[in-house]
Amino acid sequence: MSRVYPFDDAMTARAVIDDDGTLVEWNEGARRLLGHPAEAVLGRPAARLLAGDAGTAVPPGPRWDGTVGLRHRDGRMIPVWLLAHRRPPRDGHRGDWLVVTPLTGAEPPTADDPLVDAGLIQSPCALAVYDDALRLRRMNDAMAEVAGLPEERLRGLRLAEIGGKQESEDLEQAMLQVLTSGEPLDVQTYLRTGGEQRAHAWLARMAPVRDGAGRVRGVCLAAHDITDNYRARQRLQLVNEASVRIGSTLDVTRTAQELADVCVPALADFVTIDLLDPHEHGGEPPARITAPVLLRRIAHCSVHPEVPEAVISPGQTEEYPAGSPQADSLTAGHTIVASVTEGDIDDRLTWHTARAQRVREFGMHSSMSVPIQARGLTLGVAVLTRYRRPDPFTADDVLLAEEITARAAVCIDNARRYSRERETALALQRSLLPRSLPRTAALEVSSRYLPAARAGVGGDWFDVIPLSGMRVAMVVGDVVGHGVEASATMGRLRTAVRTLADIDLAPDELLTHLDDLVVRLSEESGADSPGEVGATCLYAVYDPVSRRCTAARAGHPPPVLIRPGGAPRALDLPGGPPLGVGGLPFEAIEVDLPEGTVLALYTDGLVASRERDPETSRALLHEALGAHSGPLDKTCDRVLHTLLPPGGSADDVALLLARTRGLPAAQVATWDIPADPALVAPVRKQVVEQLDTWRLSEASFTAELVVSELVTNAIRYGSHPIRLRLIQDAGTLICEVSDTSPTAPHLRRAKIFDEGGRGLLLVAQLTQRWGSRHTPEGKTIWAELPVYEEDR
């Protein structure tokens, strides 16, 4: 099947040769060249047309050209230049070679040929020729249109004189480089020429003009308008810049400001970012928005540093009625563009006098309201305004603004959700952490808790728990992870520690029970393996009577100990496994602490840093604690200032400082009790005498009854030896009876005719609290009575 060409088919000799070397097309030009009619050659080998030893090899590559000898119909050989194109299979046809050669055009053009000048004058590309003095010699109609003046007015002027701008002088310097070097040069520039209403992007291609001897006699300048490509690159660059700059933090205000900063001045002269007020909708944007709309100004940006265009400041709210650009774009759910040329920008400002005045003052001629939408929710609106840039917003500008806003919307939504979860976690953390530490006779304490600056609230906690016998427990822990789940787990562990401390477990036993709890929590959470819900903990108990401290830790940093006059050092305390591993033991140690010793308990967020190694951080901690004299509050602040960066730690930080106090021996009285009920009366007498010495005679009657019941109970049901101890301090009298029996007492309801069974019930009624604790030797039953020292 022969093809149909829309031109004079006889002006070119054309043939098509199939892959097997068979001629399948032969046009009239080929017949004129070689004299063979189509019916004589079609379907026959093309090699028969070759003269002499031209050969039949298929040329390599997709194109070939060269001169070959072809056989004319009358038998003579004709040298012909051929151009052959290899065409691949297509539309069901096999591959072939298209072979052509021109039959006209070999003669040079005549002087009066109109096509000679048309190459310069009528070319759609703006062309100009400058002589060796860089003065204009010729320009075509397209260049005259760009310049805004005809050639006869500009001939003889330099480019800098024609343009009159800095960009024109820069182009002339480039032309001088071409003139002196003889090498072509391409230069891109952005300017408004004399024949344009607004600036365009241009590619100036410069090449030397040479005479017959090869000498450079001038410069040819071709100007190509590349505004579309330039703006496309600008849009792509702005989108890429937005991807990098927007969302650098999980802060809503910072993210909104980054969106405004990216758009000015690349896309607009003034940008405002207003978000729906979360407090009005319970923290979540509404599913459907209706006018009027209450918006809070989050950020704005202007080409002027002071942002004089703004009517309200960031943080302020304003209600936008129907008809305002903000409300209309939010209710419609799409971008709304208003401009002076369309006549609708003034109509949209009738609702607000101050805004209308700013529009007239700055000459704002075009605005664009873009809803900020993410995950099916509308979060707010971005309003972009132009007044310095003369051109209005185009459809491409709308697409660009929507693309940037959509990217920013996801970041704003992430920041909003993060802030909401962080506030929830902080509220939960505040409710779970102690609001104030108890005042005790055993310790002076101070604490600090700082949530992570970027990762969110975690599971760090601390506590001070008063125990029986004037003793005090100190605990610091750290739950793995961040967020509400970590805070909730922390709350459960803190409650468990308080419960276990209330039954006076030894530190290593308490950590064992706590480890079992974390294992169960891990199983309840559906964790694939033990330890996924994990924590570390340090638990220490200080006794101001013996001035000894017992401590154990579960994978937690060891406390720092500073004895009076001594240097800070880490307490040599066995590490133990983290909580949640399960099945491994914990080891406690006991250490003497002179009065005035400072203990520093902390979580690893205090010493963990990307800028320095842990050893350096611990050395800084010891240095900050070295000058520990004075209020512990100031020491806490000094430690945080020394170790934490200005922007805060990457992890939660909990710090607890405690300075020990000793109870004077004069405030403690101890008696060994014989195992004879008949000797209880002398003991009661000794107690009354001791209370008289302490000037607590008003408490004698109650104390005598409590001591009598506790001692009698120990003689009857306990094991020898039995010891009675009285401790008094700050309006509290503590009675303790210890024996070697591990059996703990319990309250029971005595029947009417029972002779006994009411002792502990009586103790419970007469004291403010009572209980028992296990000791290495057996148990201790204790009771606390409020007392008041007699006036001296």
Side-chain angles (χ1 to χ4, degrees):
M1 176 180 177
S2 61
R3 293 175 174 82
V4 177
Y5 298 93
F7 311 109
D8 184 358
D9 201 34
M11 303 301 290
T12 299
R14 181 183 297 107
V16 176
I17 305 172
D18 210 340
D19 275 344
D20 60 2
T22 303
L23 276 166
V24 294
E25 286 189 29
W26 188 264
N27 76 338
E28 177 61 21
R31 186 200 65 77
R32 288 177 53 192
L33 177 64
L34 297 180
H36 301 284
E39 59 271 16
V41 295
L42 289 177
R44 301 188 181 190
R48 293 184 177 183
L49 298 176
L50 297 176
D53 297 330
T56 59
V58 177
R63 194 179 81 164
W64 177 88
D65 72 281
T67 301
V68 298
L70 299 180
R71 192 184 306 279
H72 195 271
R73 183 180 182 184
D74 59 11
R76 56 192 172 92
M77 189 272 290
I78 303 176
V80 180
W81 179 84
L82 297 178
L83 175 63
H85 301 277
R86 176 71 175 88
R87 300 191 299 187
R90 64 205 177 279
D91 300 332
H93 296 280
R94 300 169 59 187
D96 55 30
W97 284 87
L98 171 65
V99 184
V100 296
T101 188
L103 299 182
T104 61
E107 63 280 358
T110 60
D112 58 350
D113 190 343
L115 296 180
V116 175
D117 286 338
L120 174 66
I121 303 303
Q122 299 180 24
S123 171
C125 177
L127 297 171
V129 177
Y130 292 81
D131 59 20
D132 54 4
L134 293 184
R135 297 193 174 275
L136 179 66
R137 181 67 64 87
R138 294 292 308 274
M139 71 163 55
N140 65 356
D141 294 342
M143 183 63 82
E145 184 178 352
V146 170
L149 291 170
E151 176 188 320
E152 57 269 19
R153 295 293 185 185
L154 301 177
R155 193 180 301 119
L157 294 178
R158 293 176 21 235
L159 180 58
E161 297 167 339
I162 297 173
K165 298 180 177 64
Q166 180 61 46
E167 293 84 357
S168 306
E169 296 182 6
D170 295 340
L171 288 174
E172 189 175 70
Q173 289 298 315
M175 291 173 60
L176 179 61
Q177 180 180 342
V178 173
L179 187 69
T180 55
S181 67
E183 299 293 333
L185 184 64
D186 290 349
V187 177
Q188 292 189 24
T189 186
Y190 190 86
L191 76 161
R192 184 176 70 85
T193 64
E196 293 182 311
Q197 296 298 321
R198 57 192 180 93
H200 281 67
W202 296 94
L203 172 62
R205 311 202 71 171
M206 308 171 189
V209 178
R210 302 178 186 274
D211 59 15
R215 293 173 298 179
V216 177
R217 303 297 300 273
V219 177
C220 177
L221 171 65
H224 304 274
D225 188 344
I226 59 170
T227 304
D228 291 341
N229 290 338
Y230 174 80
R231 289 180 177 171
R233 289 197 302 271
Q234 269 194 325
R235 288 192 290 270
L236 181 60
Q237 181 179 355
L238 190 58
V239 171
N240 291 337
E241 184 180 355
S243 301
V244 174
R245 292 178 57 185
I246 298 176
S248 61
T249 64
L250 285 172
D251 180 79
V252 174
T253 301
R254 176 74 177 273
T255 303
Q257 189 63 55
E258 289 167 347
L259 169 59
D261 293 343
V262 164
C263 294
V264 176
L267 193 56
D269 300 317
F270 173 51
V271 174
T272 63
I273 309 296
D274 298 324
L275 299 183
L276 293 164
D277 194 355
H279 302 292
E280 184 187 13
H281 306 285
E284 279 294 327
R288 184 173 178 271
I289 299 176
T290 57
V293 184
L294 183 65
L295 296 175
R296 183 178 297 275
R297 175 65 51 82
I298 303 299
H300 54 213
C301 186
S302 167
V303 290
H304 298 288
E306 295 81 13
V307 197
E309 309 94 328
V311 176
I312 62 175
S313 301
Q316 294 180 326
T317 60
E318 188 164 4
E319 189 174 75
Y320 294 87
S324 63
Q326 290 87 345
D328 288 355
S329 62
L330 287 175
T331 54
H334 59 74
T335 302
I336 292 180
V337 179
S339 64
V340 172
T341 56
E342 296 294 331
D344 53 3
I345 193 168
D346 291 332
D347 297 338
R348 293 187 173 275
L349 292 171
T350 55
W351 64 278
H352 202 289
T353 305
R355 278 186 168 80
Q357 182 178 352
R358 297 293 169 87
V359 168
R360 290 188 292 271
E361 178 183 349
F362 288 94
M364 300 178 184
H365 60 81
S366 187
S367 71
M368 175 167 45
S369 304
V370 186
I372 301 174
Q373 299 169 326
R375 299 182 180 93
L377 294 175
T378 300
L379 308 176
V381 61
V383 179
L384 294 80
T385 307
R386 284 181 179 176
Y387 59 87
R388 178 180 288 184
R389 291 179 57 165
D391 49 316
F393 289 112
T394 64
D396 289 338
D397 293 331
V398 173
L399 292 176
L400 178 58
E402 290 176 342
E403 172 70 18
I404 295 175
T405 303
R407 292 172 181 251
V410 175
C411 298
I412 290 175
D413 188 49
N414 288 338
R416 178 189 65 84
R417 296 167 69 184
Y418 166 78
S419 297
R420 186 182 181 191
E421 180 176 340
R422 179 179 172 84
E423 290 173 1
T424 302
L426 278 173
L428 178 62
Q429 190 90 330
R430 283 192 293 267
S431 68
L432 296 175
L433 287 174
R435 296 187 178 181
S436 61
L437 298 178
R439 295 178 177 271
T440 67
L443 295 173
E444 174 195 351
V445 293
S446 181
S447 64
R448 295 291 186 273
Y449 169 76
L450 294 178
R454 293 177 294 276
V457 178
D460 290 18
W461 90 93
F462 59 89
D463 214 342
V464 174
I465 309 169
L467 303 176
S468 63
M470 307 297 290
R471 296 170 306 123
V472 180
M474 296 165 283
V475 58
V476 173
D478 184 2
V479 175
V480 174
H482 295 86
V484 175
E485 290 186 5
S487 296
T489 302
M490 178 274 291
R492 299 178 73 172
L493 295 185
R494 178 172 178 256
T495 302
V497 169
R498 279 190 158 264
T499 303
L500 295 171
D502 196 46
I503 60 177
D504 254 322
L505 290 179
D508 52 339
E509 294 180 35
L510 183 142
L511 292 180
T512 299
H513 286 281
L514 201 61
D515 182 48
D516 294 338
L517 172 62
V518 175
V519 171
R520 288 197 300 272
L521 291 178
S522 183
E523 293 172 352
E524 291 173 4
S525 69
D528 296 332
S529 59
E532 289 194 23
V533 178
T536 63
C537 185
L538 170 64
Y539 186 79
V541 176
Y542 172 68
D543 185 348
V545 177
S546 65
R547 300 182 185 182
R548 295 182 67 80
C549 179
T550 306
R553 63 185 176 118
H556 202 83
V560 178
L561 190 67
I562 311 104
R563 287 188 169 88
R569 66 177 182 86
L571 186 61
D572 188 11
L573 182 61
L579 299 175
V581 175
L584 297 177
F586 300 95
E587 185 178 350
I589 66 166
E590 194 172 37
V591 59
D592 291 318
L593 297 182
E595 185 171 2
T597 300
V598 172
L599 272 173
L601 288 69
Y602 59 92
T603 56
D604 58 4
L606 183 65
V607 294
S609 174
R610 296 179 181 177
E611 288 75 25
R612 56 180 178 264
D613 59 87
E615 289 298 328
T616 303
S617 295
R618 283 190 284 271
L620 288 174
L621 174 61
H622 290 184
E623 181 182 342
L625 291 170
H628 65 273
S629 60
L632 293 181
D633 277 345
K634 291 186 177 180
T635 304
C636 282
D637 294 337
R638 182 171 62 250
V639 168
L640 296 183
H641 179 74
T642 302
L643 276 88
L644 301 186
S649 173
D651 195 5
D652 285 23
V653 173
L655 173 64
L656 179 65
L657 297 185
R659 180 181 284 124
T660 63
R661 295 168 177 161
L663 201 64
Q667 295 178 225
V668 181
T670 306
W671 296 272
D672 291 324
I673 306 300
D676 184 356
L679 298 178
V680 174
V683 172
R684 290 201 304 265
K685 183 179 179 182
Q686 291 176 350
V687 168
V688 172
E689 291 174 353
Q690 182 64 54
L691 293 181
D692 288 341
T693 303
W694 286 341
R695 303 176 63 83
L696 300 175
S697 300
E698 290 186 3
S700 295
F701 178 74
T702 304
E704 189 176 359
L705 287 176
V706 170
V707 168
S708 177
E709 292 297 334
L710 294 182
V711 170
T712 301
N713 196 61
I715 293 174
R716 287 181 178 177
Y717 306 107
S719 300
H720 198 74
I722 301 171
R723 175 169 292 182
L724 167 65
R725 184 170 73 167
L726 295 184
I727 305 171
Q728 72 89 13
D729 182 79
T732 300
L733 177 64
I734 301 173
C735 302
E736 295 183 344
V737 176
S738 303
D739 67 83
T740 57
S741 171
T743 305
H746 63 277
L747 287 174
R748 66 183 180 90
R749 186 178 296 276
K751 296 179 182 180
I752 296 176
F753 299 106
D754 287 349
E755 294 183 1
R758 299 178 180 86
L760 289 181
L761 182 61
L762 180 63
V763 171
Q765 296 296 320
L766 294 176
T767 61
Q768 61 183 8
R769 66 185 190 125
W770 76 280
S772 66
R773 65 176 182 268
H774 289 282
T775 65
E777 297 80 18
K779 68 176 181 296
T780 297
I781 304 174
W782 55 270
E784 290 185 4
L785 291 77
V787 294
Y788 303 96
E789 188 175 357
E790 298 174 8
D791 295 334
R792 296 183 184 273

